[in-house]
Amino acid sequence: MDKKLKLMNLLGVCLFAVVSACALASCSDNDTENPEGEKPGGENGKPTPETVEFVNSNLVYWGDEDGVGTDHFVLTLYTDMEVDAAGNPIGPGKIMAFSLNVPPFAPGTTEFPLPESTFDAAPNGYTFNEWTFNLGYMNQMDLPTGKVEVPGGTFYGDVKAYSTSVDADLLSGGKMTVKRSDGGEYTISGTLVGDLSLKRYFTYTGKLTTIDRHESTEETPNSTLTTDLALNEWTQARLQDKGDSYYLQDESCRVVELYLAEDGVGLTDTWPTGDGRVLKVEFFVEWATDVTQGIPAGTYKVVARDEESKGIPREFLKPGGIASGYPNVFTYPQGTWYEKISNGTMKEYARIDGGTMTVARDGDKHTLTIDFIDCDKAHPHHVRTTYSQDTPINVFGSHP
């Protein structure tokens, strides 16, 4: 898992399908002149705080997989709302998510109840002290359906009517208290403030069932294939000379990108547009290759990426290799991928992790025989195709 994904897991990104419409104002612990959540007319004319009473909860334990010295919980509270098939609350309603840091549980522990304590705001976004909540932040997530802005860390949100999208206030100050009765029932309450400079009073009373994900590697699947594919409907091809895009600076190999596409897919822009199937292959040739003359004949083999860095080891960056797909990047996929797109958005896809491409040449004529394997380690699937073109393959752009 790369550094960015580790930080997202650590801070507890709330994976509801949400889009922020929050206004980013200066953070303050002070009330505004007429703060939301407080009504005039209380005792002695003072405002009466309005407390949101949450009735539903979701608690996930992530442990300390990233070695920061504290264990991590993500607690989500929401008002009485239905949820969709993915578990996202459907508005109208209110939601609060808390990213909490607690002392590590002892080795061998098998149950992970949320500990009692009072939690204060973390001093910044890079410290994870015990008994603190992590500050709210916005994160751009790259999903197969496109890039979306989602709130993470600790935040308050209004869930829109008949929707799962949330208007979020990113929280950065205040306190919350967690108490647990002898019978196991929790009382959680507090007052938090965030970017909108509004105090959020809240309470929850009820059970909390911990979902243990501290050994989970859960992420968006990089392949949706359920069977092998035989693709023979290609009507167009495109090459692009990517030059020294791996910055080797030794003229040891040149990077070339090949697209095969069906009718309905546009290849005139940098990235495919329209509707249909696309196969993107990134491969390595001799530095002296003139891409306007086509693909050199031979057999090219997919090379693996480093498990930790996700980069391709230097010894594999040489002519005859094919770059396997870069993980978890969907909007502008890198390396080798199969896609079925609709209006430019992935509807079916597979990150390619293995296999070969054989290129036969007879003058300008190319005959490509491809047998790729997707990244599903448990149930790998093949993506096979044969493509032939008598005329020169169109070249998009160039590098000196």
Side-chain angles (χ1 to χ4, degrees):
M1 182 179 298
D2 63 30
K3 186 175 181 180
K4 180 178 178 182
L5 288 174
K6 285 183 179 180
L7 187 60
M8 287 167 59
N9 272 345
L10 180 64
L11 294 181
V13 173
C14 181
L15 295 179
F16 296 117
V18 297
V19 178
S20 170
C22 65
L24 298 179
S26 60
C27 175
S28 170
D29 286 342
N30 298 323
D31 292 320
T32 58
E33 182 177 347
N34 185 22
E36 180 183 302
E38 295 191 355
K39 297 180 178 179
E43 185 177 357
N44 298 323
K46 295 181 179 179
T48 302
E50 180 181 8
T51 301
V52 178
E53 296 184 1
F54 294 104
V55 297
N56 295 305
S57 65
N58 178 273
L59 178 66
V60 178
Y61 171 68
W62 289 101
D64 184 25
E65 291 181 299
D66 297 287
V68 297
T70 51
D71 280 4
H72 182 61
F73 282 93
V74 175
L75 171 65
T76 306
L77 304 177
Y78 55 101
T79 54
D80 188 16
M81 290 183 279
E82 295 182 1
V83 296
D84 65 12
N88 303 316
I90 302 171
K94 300 179 187 298
I95 187 172
M96 269 184 114
F98 308 87
S99 178
L100 305 174
N101 303 305
V102 304
F105 285 86
T109 301
T110 57
E111 295 185 0
F112 304 96
L114 180 64
E116 294 183 275
S117 188
T118 295
F119 293 82
D120 297 292
N124 55 59
Y126 300 95
T127 57
F128 309 97
N129 301 335
E130 295 177 2
W131 311 123
T132 62
F133 63 85
N134 294 306
L135 311 184
Y137 68 100
M138 292 304 301
N139 186 76
Q140 187 179 73
M141 297 189 67
D142 193 347
L143 303 175
T145 52
K147 291 185 178 181
V148 294
E149 288 277 322
V150 297
T154 304
F155 64 89
Y156 167 90
D158 287 303
V159 187
K160 296 179 181 179
Y162 312 109
S163 171
T164 59
S165 70
V166 173
D167 289 339
D169 183 12
L170 309 178
L171 303 176
S172 56
K175 294 179 182 291
M176 66 169 291
T177 300
V178 176
K179 295 182 179 180
R180 187 185 186 197
S181 70
D182 292 340
E185 186 173 71
Y186 280 86
T187 299
I188 300 171
S189 61
T191 305
L192 301 186
V193 67
D195 285 345
L196 300 184
S197 299
L198 305 173
K199 285 189 174 180
R200 308 292 183 179
Y201 299 86
F202 63 92
T203 185
Y204 169 80
T205 301
K207 299 284 188 178
L208 290 180
T209 301
T210 303
I211 302 170
D212 180 10
R213 291 184 182 161
H214 82 282
E215 295 182 348
S216 172
T217 57
E218 185 176 288
E219 60 182 23
T220 303
N222 280 205
S223 176
T224 62
L225 299 186
T226 58
T227 187
D228 293 345
L229 292 182
L231 305 174
N232 298 301
E233 302 299 325
W234 309 125
T235 61
Q236 52 184 321
R238 189 190 86 182
L239 292 172
Q240 183 173 1
D241 183 354
K242 307 290 286 190
D244 187 22
S245 59
Y246 284 77
Y247 304 102
L248 302 179
Q249 299 182 330
D250 60 5
E251 298 187 354
S252 58
C253 71
R254 183 177 296 275
V255 181
V256 180
E257 183 179 84
L258 166 70
Y259 274 109
L260 300 178
E262 294 180 333
D263 275 340
V265 175
L267 293 180
T268 58
D269 295 329
T270 303
W271 297 94
T273 58
D275 304 282
R277 291 179 172 85
V278 176
L279 186 62
K280 176 181 181 288
V281 186
E282 182 181 285
F283 59 99
F284 313 126
V285 298
E286 297 286 350
W287 180 256
T289 300
D290 181 355
V291 179
T292 64
Q293 301 302 307
I295 307 172
T299 296
Y300 300 77
K301 184 177 180 180
V302 176
V303 296
R305 292 181 179 272
D306 179 80
E307 288 291 333
E308 181 66 24
S309 71
K310 309 306 179 188
I312 296 176
R314 177 65 183 85
E315 61 266 27
F316 295 150
L317 294 171
K318 60 185 179 180
I322 298 174
S324 50
Y326 191 90
N328 303 312
V329 177
F330 302 98
T331 304
Y332 302 114
Q334 304 297 318
T336 302
W337 284 75
Y338 157 75
E339 305 172 64
K340 182 179 181 181
I341 61 175
S342 177
N343 196 27
T345 299
M346 288 184 176
K347 297 301 181 183
E348 178 181 81
Y349 55 90
R351 177 168 60 83
I352 300 303
D353 229 17
T356 60
M357 175 179 73
T358 299
V359 180
R361 295 289 303 271
D362 182 4
D364 288 332
K365 181 178 180 178
H366 290 72
T367 300
L368 310 180
T369 303
I370 292 173
D371 185 358
F372 287 153
I373 303 170
D374 76 355
C375 60
D376 189 334
K377 301 299 183 185
H379 305 287
H381 299 97
H382 287 261
V383 177
R384 298 186 176 101
T385 189
T386 299
Y387 176 75
S388 184
Q389 180 170 318
D390 293 339
T391 57
I393 298 177
N394 180 53
V395 177
F396 179 89
S398 63
H399 282 259

